[in-house]
Amino acid sequence: MLVAAAVCPCPPLLVPEVAGGAGPELDAARSACLDALGVLAAARPDLLIVAGPAGPDDRGPFPPGSSGSFAGFGVDLTVRLGEPPAGSPAPERPLPASLAVGAWLLGLARWDGAPAEGLGVEETLPADRCVRAGADLAARAERVALLVMGDGSACRTVKAPGYLDERAAGFDAAAVRALGSADLAALEALDESLAYELKAAGRAPWQVLAGAARGAGLGGRLLYEDAPYGVGYAVAVWS
């Protein structure tokens, strides 16, 4: 059963080495993410699953010990998602960027609780399949926690990666309300096509969270919301 969840944005810029001189601009987001991870640790889960958006080649499970690199962003930095079981070799398949950011956050928080593994959620996965995937995750252990990585629309300003789309602010506002109040129905109702057009990579992972939280009776709390660089970022906790 799901006992706690943290929702965090997943831009590589969250990693100061990647952001360079712009690093301080996301200090508030990093601080909120650390607070959210503290809620996960306090829940004392038996299993932590980091879920985040992924492309077709990066979808599916990533076992403990999977590593990811930020070399593609010009930084010689490698992170690892937990540790492989004793006697087992380190997994070879690299983490997608979203899960690498999640692994970096866990390292920053010095996570030493439950074993951690990852799940790459294809960004185009239909809502009903996201919900079913979430239900499966919640059944993995008696006490499951989720670290859900994902960004809102990338179309909030003319300088945003997707340029300005007048629909973006409304989409993000609805998503943030749902994340901050643990509104499962509202998350499940997020429009898949609109999310894709707005480059909202968090839609599918958020709907996985909605499926995992069914019957768990969790409440939500919003810790951070902003749109630096024209991309919607939110941090929330469910417990």
Side-chain angles (χ1 to χ4, degrees):
M1 173 180 281
L2 186 71
V3 295
V7 177
C8 294
C10 60
L13 287 173
L14 206 60
V15 180
E17 292 89 336
V18 175
E25 294 179 13
L26 290 178
D27 279 349
R30 293 184 195 99
S31 177
C33 289
L34 289 178
D35 289 343
L37 288 175
V39 172
L40 295 189
R44 298 184 176 274
D46 302 317
L47 173 66
L48 172 66
I49 301 171
V50 184
D57 296 332
D58 296 324
R59 63 186 178 184
F62 288 82
S66 297
S67 62
S69 170
F70 292 96
F73 302 96
V75 175
D76 183 17
L77 174 64
T78 298
V79 293
R80 189 177 300 280
L81 186 58
E83 297 294 335
S88 299
E92 295 184 1
R93 191 162 73 119
L95 296 169
S98 66
L99 299 189
V101 174
W104 177 82
L105 282 174
L106 290 173
L108 185 66
R110 299 183 179 180
W111 179 268
D112 61 356
E117 57 186 64
L119 177 69
V121 184
E122 190 168 358
E123 292 182 40
T124 57
L125 193 67
D128 60 338
R129 293 181 59 189
C130 291
V131 170
R132 288 200 300 272
D136 290 342
L137 294 183
R140 290 278 312 281
E142 185 174 345
R143 298 181 64 80
V144 175
L146 285 181
L147 172 55
V148 182
M149 311 299 296
D151 301 338
S153 67
C155 303
R156 293 279 291 273
T157 68
V158 294
K159 294 184 178 180
Y163 196 66
L164 175 65
D165 190 312
E166 298 294 346
R167 303 170 296 174
F171 177 91
D172 282 351
V176 167
R177 282 196 301 271
L179 292 170
S181 60
D183 188 333
L184 309 188
L187 283 179
E188 293 177 23
L190 290 175
D191 189 302
E192 303 162 32
S193 298
L194 179 59
Y196 183 79
E197 293 173 12
L198 296 176
K199 304 182 185 302
R203 188 277 306 172
W206 296 339
Q207 290 180 328
V208 168
L209 168 59
R214 282 184 171 180
L218 303 181
R221 180 162 52 99
L222 185 67
L223 303 184
Y224 171 89
E225 189 271 328
D226 202 354
Y229 318 116
V231 182
Y233 299 149
V235 179
V237 289
W238 293 17
S239 61

